[in-house]
Amino acid sequence: MFYKTHTCSSSAPWLIFLHGFLGTHQDWEGIYDPFCSDYNVLLVDLPGHGSSHWDDSISSFYDLSVHLDDLFVRLGCHNIVLVG
């Protein structure tokens, strides 16, 4: 899954921006900038969108949530706020 991060502090909470149907992480360009001084920011291209390839192992929203959770754990995103 393609993603971009903007980090300000290892202890700062994470704002995780998830785009809508047919969107990409670029939908959030210009919107997330003001938050970068207080929050770590994660921009995700969901599978099959933008720079993320489709993953055949994802057949439900539950499967997608498992993949997202794995990404959050891998990046150390503990205190999160989802924006979408």
Side-chain angles (χ1 to χ4, degrees), residues 1-46:
M1 199 175 319
F2 177 84
Y3 63 89
K4 288 176 63 175
T5 60
H6 300 275
T7 56
C8 69
S9 165
S10 61
S11 61
W14 284 84
L15 285 181
I16 299 173
F17 289 84
L18 301 174
H19 60 78
F21 185 66
L22 299 179
T24 72
H25 75 278
Q26 294 174 334
D27 294 348
W28 300 107
E29 295 293 329
I31 295 172
Y32 69 86
D33 292 334
F35 300 103
C36 289
S37 59
D38 298 315
Y39 295 91
N40 297 313
V41 172
L42 174 62
L43 306 165
V44 177
D45 276 349
L46 296 171

Side-chain angles (χ1 to χ4, degrees), residues 1-2 19 21-22 45-65 67:
M1 199 175 319
F2 177 84
H19 60 78
F21 185 66
L22 299 179
D45 276 349
L46 296 171
H49 296 80
S51 297
S52 289
H53 298 286
W54 179 249
D55 185 336
D56 288 332
S57 69
I58 299 174
S59 61
S60 68
F61 284 115
Y62 175 79
D63 295 338
L64 177 60
S65 70
H67 281 265

